[in-house]
Amino acid sequence: MTSSPSPSRKALSKIACNRLQKELSEWQVNPPTGFKHKVTDNLQKWIIEVTGAPGTLYANETYNLQVEFPQHYPMESPQVIFVPPAPLHPHIYSNGHICLDILYDSWSPAMTVSSVCISILSMLSSSPEKQRPTDNDRYVKNCKNGRSPKETRWWFHDDKV
Amino acid sequence: MTEEEVAMEMEAVEAVYGEDCVILDSNPPHLHLHIKPRTAEISSQQFVEAVVRIQASSKYPDEPPRISLIESKGLDDQRQKHLIGIVQEKASQLSSSLMLVELCEEAAERLTIMNHPDGDCPLCLYPLFPEDGWSKEMPFMKLMSCFHCFHCECIIRWWNWLHTQKDTDSKSGDTLHMRRGTSTHEGNSGSGGQSLGNCPVCRKVFHASDIEHVLDLVGAQSSQKDSGLIQGEDEDPLLQSDSENVRRERFEAILKTQEEKGGLVQPKKNISVVPGMYLPPPAPVTASSNEEEAGHSREQGEEAPKEAESETNSSSSTNHRGRGRGRGRGQNVNRRKPNSQDPRKPTRQWVQRAREDDK
Ligand SMILES: [Zn+2]
Ligand SMILES: [Zn+2]
């Protein structure tokens, strides 16, 4: 699997378009450190190259993020995954899905692609060891047909259970 | 000009500005004028204020008084200079006639025009107040709890989205959209959930009354315009509920007062606002994390099918919670961890569960 199918492949609303054009032009002026937007003519799907920060486990490694925008972005969160091969990380599944709260229920429309990227890099940078989530195999198996991580129920869970 | 005339002018100034005017000397005139935007009867509409000093010499009015800024709030350097510059210019134009009231008026008028925050709207990323005189101007507002500012249109669109989501979600027995520590908690019963929200920037809880004046604005605008369909958004039908009508009436009362005072609160005639947003029912797979459901699972685990439960258990042994750190643009730091508002549950973790297991 190289990519998930789009969330629903509905064209961007006009508001989403305006907002993304603005984000793109700001990105071009001031891209977040460690990231490179691979230019395409597709506003709805960005491929972003990320380079591991110096001094971390992922230094000098590069990976590709795929960011797909739903019709009602930024009300709805973008779908963000690593294009496999994904970095080995306790919160990143081998199919590229990322367990990061702001991508799902903690999303806020005041966040941007740029701020999401910075969060992902900081998640990578703070990793103490290179390993997959313990439930990786089961999860990946369940994601048949390249399902979107937004369809996964990432939910809180009480420790005492 | 006689001393008497100058003295009478000072009396006039005092009469007009009352407490907002502190007279330090009546001849030659020297005064401090405290100005607020004339639209700012409602504190939520006030973004700037200033104290201007007008100090005349004994040659007044042949020699125009000196104008300076003693104090200001919400004005960047550029706007401070602009404000003073304009009043100074007015003073030179009027030299040799008595001008104090006119200068004070000019200052108040200018400040009123400047009654806007700096920077971009966090939702659409376009300037809250386009200074280029070219871009479309849109009304904006601030949240009283945190002073974050948004275009009215943008925050209302977001607010409606939240509630549309929530409605659809609860109808389908699916997820509740708002997060823990927000209205799902405090206002979970019935329409009570409408009353609280979280600032999109800092997640600080605000009350619906905080944005009520904006709902008013939106209501008034849609009543003035026949069409609620604007901006070419084909999915935006007009919002026309009873509560909108009530809001509109209240707004029009305010509007009347503002007009009498020459206020700017009056909505721009040519501006279009999207009052609501029709959202198609979410695709059955649109699921975000679900506090309510998580709650159920916590209580009984009844709704969690077996496989999900076993996943839960296996996952709970890992620290499985991703955290975004160092969010961009310097904003939004510390606003994650919605659960941190709930001290009873300090150690929750992320667990995922496959969607097809749900029903
Ligand atoms: Zn905006
Ligand atoms: Zn705020």
Side-chain angles (χ1 to χ4, degrees):
Chain A
M1 188 192 76
T2 53
S3 71
S4 293
S6 347
S8 58
R9 245 329 162 202
K10 279 197 170 170
L12 294 171
S13 72
K14 190 170 176 238
I15 286 157
C17 258
N18 287 342
R19 156 92 186 221
L20 277 174
Q21 271 155 2
K22 186 77 178 167
E23 281 197 50
L24 190 55
S25 64
E26 281 181 15
W27 177 295
Q28 281 157 354
V29 177
N30 185 21
T33 312
F35 295 88
K36 230 191 284 174
H37 175 240
K38 295 190 165 175
V39 182
T40 64
D41 57 357
N42 189 348
L43 191 61
Q44 196 163 5
K45 180 159 78 181
W46 297 17
I47 301 292
I48 296 167
E49 187 185 280
V50 49
T51 305
T56 69
L57 290 178
Y58 307 90
N60 299 319
E61 296 175 16
T62 61
Y63 298 95
N64 284 323
L65 282 168
Q66 174 187 284
V67 186
E68 271 192 275
F69 302 94
Q71 181 185 13
H72 293 296
Y73 179 79
M75 303 297 164
E76 302 172 273
S77 63
Q79 179 203 290
V80 185
I81 59 171
F82 277 102
V83 179
L88 267 176
H89 184 283
H91 296 158
I92 302 172
Y93 291 88
S94 55
N95 63 357
H97 291 196
I98 306 165
C99 183
L100 178 64
D101 54 0
I102 57 161
L103 297 178
Y104 312 107
D105 74 325
S106 293
W107 169 255
S108 150
M111 293 177 193
T112 61
V113 181
S114 179
S115 69
V116 164
C117 282
I118 290 166
S119 294
I120 289 174
L121 187 57
S122 118
M123 185 182 98
L124 278 181
S125 299
S126 62
S127 171
E129 53 185 342
K130 282 184 164 181
Q131 61 166 45
R132 289 285 175 224
T134 51
D135 58 342
N136 184 72
D137 292 349
R138 179 200 303 272
Y139 177 72
V140 172
K141 204 174 72 195
N142 279 341
C143 293
K144 317 160 190 119
N145 306 321
R147 195 178 55 179
S148 162
K150 290 177 72 181
E151 295 162 25
T152 298
R153 300 218 159 193
W154 309 90
W155 53 306
F156 284 121
H157 163 66
D158 225 328
D159 259 359
K160 65 177 188 260
V161 174
Chain B
M1 245 17 101
T2 68
E3 275 189 25
E4 259 168 53
E5 280 171 310
V6 173
M8 278 169 66
E9 189 189 24
M10 288 305 277
E11 276 171 34
V13 171
E14 254 189 306
V16 174
Y17 298 101
E19 287 178 357
D20 290 335
C21 175
V22 178
I23 298 201
L24 302 174
D25 210 333
S26 47
N27 201 354
H30 182 192
L31 60 91
H32 286 180
L33 184 71
H34 184 194
I35 44 178
K36 288 184 178 183
R38 294 193 153 149
T39 49
E41 294 270 302
I42 314 165
S43 57
S44 62
Q45 298 279 334
Q46 186 188 336
F47 304 95
V48 294
E49 69 181 65
V51 178
V52 173
R53 174 167 62 191
I54 302 181
Q55 187 173 20
S57 70
S58 54
K59 291 178 188 158
Y60 175 81
D62 295 325
E63 187 182 286
R66 280 186 296 155
I67 319 289
S68 53
L69 197 61
I70 304 278
E71 233 183 271
S72 76
K73 281 186 197 164
L75 293 173
D76 54 300
D77 286 356
Q78 200 191 342
R79 287 194 288 172
Q80 290 177 11
K81 281 190 195 129
H82 185 63
L83 176 65
I84 293 311
I86 291 239
V87 181
Q88 280 166 343
E89 201 183 307
K90 187 87 179 174
S92 355
Q93 282 168 13
L94 295 173
S95 69
S96 81
S97 54
L98 295 172
M99 65 178 88
L100 294 180
V101 174
E102 273 195 73
L103 295 185
C104 293
E105 281 300 285
E106 185 71 21
E109 290 295 321
R110 289 295 156 177
L111 189 77
T112 300
I113 294 169
M114 292 178 184
N115 186 28
H116 59 80
D118 284 327
D120 295 337
C121 168
L123 296 178
C124 68
L125 310 180
Y126 284 83
L128 285 163
F129 190 87
E131 306 266 13
D132 58 10
W134 176 79
S135 318
K136 191 180 82 163
E137 265 182 45
M138 304 209 294
F140 42 78
M141 53 84 65
K142 77 172 181 209
L143 290 175
M144 295 303 286
S145 47
C146 59
F147 279 53
H148 282 121
C149 296
F150 308 88
H151 291 125
C152 300
E153 187 179 320
C154 295
I155 194 143
I156 292 300
R157 188 185 302 118
W158 167 78
W159 180 256
N160 288 343
W161 165 267
L162 280 190
H163 290 105
T164 314
Q165 285 294 92
K166 207 169 139 191
D167 289 350
T168 331
D169 287 347
S170 42
K171 262 176 224 153
S172 67
D174 204 339
T175 62
L176 273 177
H177 188 80
M178 297 186 84
R179 273 172 285 281
R180 173 174 302 286
T182 71
S183 63
T184 39
H185 263 252
E186 280 96 337
N188 210 1
S189 56
S191 60
Q194 300 274 338
S195 61
L196 292 172
N198 291 86
C199 170
V201 177
C202 65
R203 297 200 198 271
K204 196 164 177 173
V205 175
F206 67 85
H207 206 263
S209 56
D210 236 29
I211 63 168
E212 215 162 42
H213 62 284
V214 185
L215 296 172
D216 287 344
L217 189 71
V218 172
Q221 284 178 340
S222 40
S223 73
Q224 284 176 358
K225 297 199 60 103
D226 286 331
S227 167
L229 295 176
I230 339 186
Q231 291 216 333
E233 279 284 323
D234 49 6
E235 64 266 74
D236 296 327
L238 188 56
L239 192 73
Q240 283 283 13
S241 64
D242 281 353
S243 63
E244 276 306 305
N245 290 331
V246 171
R247 284 185 189 127
R248 191 170 305 149
E249 276 164 28
R250 260 188 292 146
F251 175 78
E252 269 158 17
I254 297 170
L255 183 58
K256 195 158 165 263
T257 329
Q258 297 289 325
E259 274 171 347
E260 283 161 6
K261 294 173 185 292
L264 271 184
V265 159
Q266 176 173 15
K268 302 261 189 320
K269 289 283 192 285
N270 56 353
I271 201 166
S272 302
V273 174
V274 181
M277 196 166 187
Y278 168 74
L279 298 167
V285 287
T286 317
S288 60
S289 165
N290 177 346
E291 288 303 317
E292 194 187 44
E293 192 176 9
H296 289 167
S297 306
R298 252 199 309 281
E299 286 153 27
Q300 284 301 331
E302 277 174 358
E303 291 194 347
K306 280 186 182 129
E307 186 172 359
E309 272 188 304
S310 62
E311 268 192 29
T312 297
N313 294 335
S314 67
S315 301
S316 62
S317 60
T318 72
N319 183 6
H320 195 43
R321 173 156 186 206
R323 291 186 174 178
R325 247 156 283 200
R327 202 168 270 110
R329 299 161 67 95
Q331 62 183 9
N332 308 339
V333 178
N334 289 336
R335 69 170 182 209
R336 195 171 321 109
K337 294 194 257 177
N339 55 331
S340 63
Q341 293 173 22
D342 188 346
R344 292 165 300 166
K345 310 211 160 54
T347 50
R348 263 171 291 134
Q349 296 177 324
W350 278 100
V351 194
Q352 51 75 23
R353 171 157 65 121
R355 169 75 200 188
E356 61 261 35
D357 296 330
D358 283 341
K359 299 254 156 73

